[in-house]
Amino acid sequence: MPLQLMLHLDLHGRSAAAQARRAARSHLAGTAADDGELLPPLALDTALLLISELVTNAVRHTSGGCMLEVRLASDGIDIEVTDTSDAEPQARRPDRCGEGGWGWHLVNRLGTDVLIRHHAAGGKTIHVRVPC
């Protein structure tokens, strides 16, 4: 059976981030890049963290759920989360007492090629790459 290099999920509700992590872990664990090397554990863990942050924020700050796409490329993992809001994420001062503010900083610090694409029909897609 050929390896499927792309995962596509429509997510809604409070359990969306957990569903996204489970599906992405299952999809990416044990996969090999074009050169036959297994995905490094640090890249997998980083991808799961960023997926969790992006999906959590999409579900928390929009009304229509979100769509997750994860693609394994030869040099990294491409993550895209599409939601119904036109508002761009805003970096805010992280709260050391557990009130958030870390997510967008993590995405920009741990990922590369962070892009926000707005759609003519409304909504946006956030793209981030996790290098391998």
PDB file of all heavy atoms in Angstrom, residues 3 5 14 19 28 31 46 52-53 66 75 79 92 115 118 122 127 132:
ATOM      1  N   LEU A   3       2.393   4.946   0.653  1.00  0.00           N
ATOM      2  CA  LEU A   3       2.370   5.853   1.794  1.00  0.00           C
ATOM      3  C   LEU A   3       1.616   7.120   1.425  1.00  0.00           C
ATOM      4  O   LEU A   3       1.886   7.730   0.396  1.00  0.00           O
ATOM      5  CB  LEU A   3       3.810   6.208   2.189  1.00  0.00           C
ATOM      6  CG  LEU A   3       3.981   7.209   3.306  1.00  0.00           C
ATOM      7  CD1 LEU A   3       3.455   6.616   4.599  1.00  0.00           C
ATOM      8  CD2 LEU A   3       5.447   7.559   3.456  1.00  0.00           C
ATOM      9  N   LEU A   5       1.130  10.839   1.946  1.00  0.00           N
ATOM     10  CA  LEU A   5       1.955  11.885   2.516  1.00  0.00           C
ATOM     11  C   LEU A   5       1.151  13.080   3.006  1.00  0.00           C
ATOM     12  O   LEU A   5       1.712  13.989   3.576  1.00  0.00           O
ATOM     13  CB  LEU A   5       3.004  12.332   1.493  1.00  0.00           C
ATOM     14  CG  LEU A   5       4.007  11.258   1.097  1.00  0.00           C
ATOM     15  CD1 LEU A   5       4.982  11.809   0.085  1.00  0.00           C
ATOM     16  CD2 LEU A   5       4.731  10.723   2.315  1.00  0.00           C
ATOM     17  N   ARG A  14     -14.416  21.193  21.300  1.00  0.00           N
ATOM     18  CA  ARG A  14     -13.394  21.249  22.352  1.00  0.00           C
ATOM     19  C   ARG A  14     -12.325  20.175  22.220  1.00  0.00           C
ATOM     20  O   ARG A  14     -11.212  20.334  22.694  1.00  0.00           O
ATOM     21  CB  ARG A  14     -14.064  21.158  23.710  1.00  0.00           C
ATOM     22  CG  ARG A  14     -15.024  22.325  23.936  1.00  0.00           C
ATOM     23  CD  ARG A  14     -15.795  22.154  25.193  1.00  0.00           C
ATOM     24  NE  ARG A  14     -14.917  22.452  26.328  1.00  0.00           N
ATOM     25  CZ  ARG A  14     -15.269  22.293  27.577  1.00  0.00           C
ATOM     26  NH1 ARG A  14     -16.460  21.824  27.865  1.00  0.00           N
ATOM     27  NH2 ARG A  14     -14.438  22.601  28.540  1.00  0.00           N
ATOM     28  N   GLN A  19      -7.868  15.510  18.858  1.00  0.00           N
ATOM     29  CA  GLN A  19      -8.102  14.715  17.653  1.00  0.00           C
ATOM     30  C   GLN A  19      -7.008  14.973  16.622  1.00  0.00           C
ATOM     31  O   GLN A  19      -6.510  14.037  15.981  1.00  0.00           O
ATOM     32  CB  GLN A  19      -9.458  15.049  17.047  1.00  0.00           C
ATOM     33  CG  GLN A  19     -10.632  14.608  17.858  1.00  0.00           C
ATOM     34  CD  GLN A  19     -11.940  15.157  17.285  1.00  0.00           C
ATOM     35  OE1 GLN A  19     -11.969  15.756  16.211  1.00  0.00           O
ATOM     36  NE2 GLN A  19     -13.031  14.956  18.013  1.00  0.00           N
ATOM     37  N   LEU A  28       2.162  10.571  10.904  1.00  0.00           N
ATOM     38  CA  LEU A  28       3.581  10.872  10.732  1.00  0.00           C
ATOM     39  C   LEU A  28       4.532   9.854  11.362  1.00  0.00           C
ATOM     40  O   LEU A  28       5.648   9.674  10.890  1.00  0.00           O
ATOM     41  CB  LEU A  28       3.889  12.259  11.305  1.00  0.00           C
ATOM     42  CG  LEU A  28       3.260  13.437  10.570  1.00  0.00           C
ATOM     43  CD1 LEU A  28       3.440  14.715  11.369  1.00  0.00           C
ATOM     44  CD2 LEU A  28       3.843  13.573   9.174  1.00  0.00           C
ATOM     45  N   THR A  31       6.840   7.267   9.413  1.00  0.00           N
ATOM     46  CA  THR A  31       6.981   7.607   8.003  1.00  0.00           C
ATOM     47  C   THR A  31       8.430   7.975   7.713  1.00  0.00           C
ATOM     48  O   THR A  31       9.160   8.436   8.583  1.00  0.00           O
ATOM     49  CB  THR A  31       6.070   8.780   7.591  1.00  0.00           C
ATOM     50  OG1 THR A  31       6.395   9.917   8.384  1.00  0.00           O
ATOM     51  CG2 THR A  31       4.610   8.433   7.761  1.00  0.00           C
ATOM     52  N   THR A  46       7.721  18.618  17.695  1.00  0.00           N
ATOM     53  CA  THR A  46       7.515  20.033  17.377  1.00  0.00           C
ATOM     54  C   THR A  46       6.272  20.207  16.516  1.00  0.00           C
ATOM     55  O   THR A  46       5.452  21.103  16.762  1.00  0.00           O
ATOM     56  CB  THR A  46       8.754  20.616  16.668  1.00  0.00           C
ATOM     57  OG1 THR A  46       9.886  20.461  17.527  1.00  0.00           O
ATOM     58  CG2 THR A  46       8.559  22.082  16.335  1.00  0.00           C
ATOM     59  N   SER A  52      -1.253  21.489  17.695  1.00  0.00           N
ATOM     60  CA  SER A  52      -2.117  21.708  18.857  1.00  0.00           C
ATOM     61  C   SER A  52      -2.385  23.191  19.076  1.00  0.00           C
ATOM     62  O   SER A  52      -3.534  23.601  19.305  1.00  0.00           O
ATOM     63  CB  SER A  52      -1.468  21.088  20.093  1.00  0.00           C
ATOM     64  OG  SER A  52      -2.324  21.186  21.191  1.00  0.00           O
ATOM     65  N   GLU A  53      -1.355  23.995  19.003  1.00  0.00           N
ATOM     66  CA  GLU A  53      -1.514  25.445  19.208  1.00  0.00           C
ATOM     67  C   GLU A  53      -2.403  26.063  18.138  1.00  0.00           C
ATOM     68  O   GLU A  53      -3.323  26.832  18.446  1.00  0.00           O
ATOM     69  CB  GLU A  53      -0.146  26.133  19.208  1.00  0.00           C
ATOM     70  CG  GLU A  53       0.695  25.831  20.418  1.00  0.00           C
ATOM     71  CD  GLU A  53       0.117  26.356  21.717  1.00  0.00           C
ATOM     72  OE1 GLU A  53      -0.677  27.316  21.707  1.00  0.00           O
ATOM     73  OE2 GLU A  53       0.446  25.777  22.764  1.00  0.00           O
ATOM     74  N   CYS A  66     -12.294  24.272  12.039  1.00  0.00           N
ATOM     75  CA  CYS A  66     -11.122  24.487  11.200  1.00  0.00           C
ATOM     76  C   CYS A  66     -10.815  23.241  10.395  1.00  0.00           C
ATOM     77  O   CYS A  66     -11.378  22.169  10.633  1.00  0.00           O
ATOM     78  CB  CYS A  66      -9.913  24.894  12.029  1.00  0.00           C
ATOM     79  SG  CYS A  66      -9.300  23.631  13.144  1.00  0.00           S
ATOM     80  N   ASP A  75      12.208  17.758   3.224  1.00  0.00           N
ATOM     81  CA  ASP A  75      13.009  18.513   4.191  1.00  0.00           C
ATOM     82  C   ASP A  75      12.214  19.058   5.365  1.00  0.00           C
ATOM     83  O   ASP A  75      12.708  19.854   6.152  1.00  0.00           O
ATOM     84  CB  ASP A  75      13.730  19.656   3.495  1.00  0.00           C
ATOM     85  CG  ASP A  75      12.768  20.614   2.807  1.00  0.00           C
ATOM     86  OD1 ASP A  75      11.579  20.271   2.634  1.00  0.00           O
ATOM     87  OD2 ASP A  75      13.205  21.712   2.431  1.00  0.00           O
ATOM     88  N   ILE A  79       2.443  22.292   7.746  1.00  0.00           N
ATOM     89  CA  ILE A  79       1.196  22.287   8.507  1.00  0.00           C
ATOM     90  C   ILE A  79       0.371  23.478   8.045  1.00  0.00           C
ATOM     91  O   ILE A  79       0.889  24.595   7.963  1.00  0.00           O
ATOM     92  CB  ILE A  79       1.478  22.418  10.022  1.00  0.00           C
ATOM     93  CG1 ILE A  79       2.347  21.263  10.505  1.00  0.00           C
ATOM     94  CG2 ILE A  79       0.170  22.516  10.809  1.00  0.00           C
ATOM     95  CD1 ILE A  79       2.990  21.518  11.854  1.00  0.00           C
ATOM     96  N   ARG A  92       0.831  38.171  21.961  1.00  0.00           N
ATOM     97  CA  ARG A  92       0.562  38.891  23.202  1.00  0.00           C
ATOM     98  C   ARG A  92       1.547  38.415  24.260  1.00  0.00           C
ATOM     99  O   ARG A  92       2.194  37.390  24.098  1.00  0.00           O
ATOM    100  CB  ARG A  92      -0.888  38.722  23.653  1.00  0.00           C
ATOM    101  CG  ARG A  92      -1.334  37.329  23.903  1.00  0.00           C
ATOM    102  CD  ARG A  92      -2.853  37.306  24.175  1.00  0.00           C
ATOM    103  NE  ARG A  92      -3.312  35.967  24.376  1.00  0.00           N
ATOM    104  CZ  ARG A  92      -3.690  35.471  25.544  1.00  0.00           C
ATOM    105  NH1 ARG A  92      -3.705  36.229  26.618  1.00  0.00           N
ATOM    106  NH2 ARG A  92      -4.080  34.221  25.645  1.00  0.00           N
ATOM    107  N   LEU A 115       3.284  31.726   7.163  1.00  0.00           N
ATOM    108  CA  LEU A 115       2.539  32.576   6.234  1.00  0.00           C
ATOM    109  C   LEU A 115       1.067  32.572   6.603  1.00  0.00           C
ATOM    110  O   LEU A 115       0.541  31.549   7.069  1.00  0.00           O
ATOM    111  CB  LEU A 115       2.666  32.057   4.805  1.00  0.00           C
ATOM    112  CG  LEU A 115       4.054  31.944   4.214  1.00  0.00           C
ATOM    113  CD1 LEU A 115       4.013  31.135   2.930  1.00  0.00           C
ATOM    114  CD2 LEU A 115       4.612  33.327   3.951  1.00  0.00           C
ATOM    115  N   HIS A 118      -5.142  34.972   3.219  1.00  0.00           N
ATOM    116  CA  HIS A 118      -6.564  35.306   3.354  1.00  0.00           C
ATOM    117  C   HIS A 118      -7.294  34.826   2.106  1.00  0.00           C
ATOM    118  O   HIS A 118      -6.750  34.862   1.011  1.00  0.00           O
ATOM    119  CB  HIS A 118      -6.743  36.808   3.554  1.00  0.00           C
ATOM    120  CG  HIS A 118      -6.230  37.266   4.882  1.00  0.00           C
ATOM    121  ND1 HIS A 118      -7.000  37.254   6.019  1.00  0.00           N
ATOM    122  CD2 HIS A 118      -5.011  37.715   5.269  1.00  0.00           C
ATOM    123  CE1 HIS A 118      -6.283  37.689   7.046  1.00  0.00           C
ATOM    124  NE2 HIS A 118      -5.069  37.974   6.609  1.00  0.00           N
ATOM    125  N   GLY A 122     -13.591  34.705   2.499  1.00  0.00           N
ATOM    126  CA  GLY A 122     -13.505  34.877   3.941  1.00  0.00           C
ATOM    127  C   GLY A 122     -12.692  33.765   4.579  1.00  0.00           C
ATOM    128  O   GLY A 122     -12.554  32.678   4.033  1.00  0.00           O
ATOM    129  N   HIS A 127       0.050  28.796   7.502  1.00  0.00           N
ATOM    130  CA  HIS A 127       1.012  27.763   7.097  1.00  0.00           C
ATOM    131  C   HIS A 127       2.266  27.899   7.932  1.00  0.00           C
ATOM    132  O   HIS A 127       2.728  29.014   8.200  1.00  0.00           O
ATOM    133  CB  HIS A 127       1.370  27.938   5.612  1.00  0.00           C
ATOM    134  CG  HIS A 127       2.508  27.064   5.196  1.00  0.00           C
ATOM    135  ND1 HIS A 127       3.825  27.464   5.292  1.00  0.00           N
ATOM    136  CD2 HIS A 127       2.527  25.812   4.709  1.00  0.00           C
ATOM    137  CE1 HIS A 127       4.600  26.483   4.869  1.00  0.00           C
ATOM    138  NE2 HIS A 127       3.850  25.468   4.518  1.00  0.00           N
ATOM    139  N   CYS A 132      13.051  19.231   9.175  1.00  0.00           N
ATOM    140  CA  CYS A 132      13.546  17.937   9.650  1.00  0.00           C
ATOM    141  C   CYS A 132      15.056  17.974   9.742  1.00  0.00           C
ATOM    142  O   CYS A 132      15.676  17.152  10.266  1.00  0.00           O
ATOM    143  CB  CYS A 132      13.111  16.820   8.714  1.00  0.00           C
ATOM    144  SG  CYS A 132      11.358  16.456   8.839  1.00  0.00           S
TER     145      CYS A 132
END
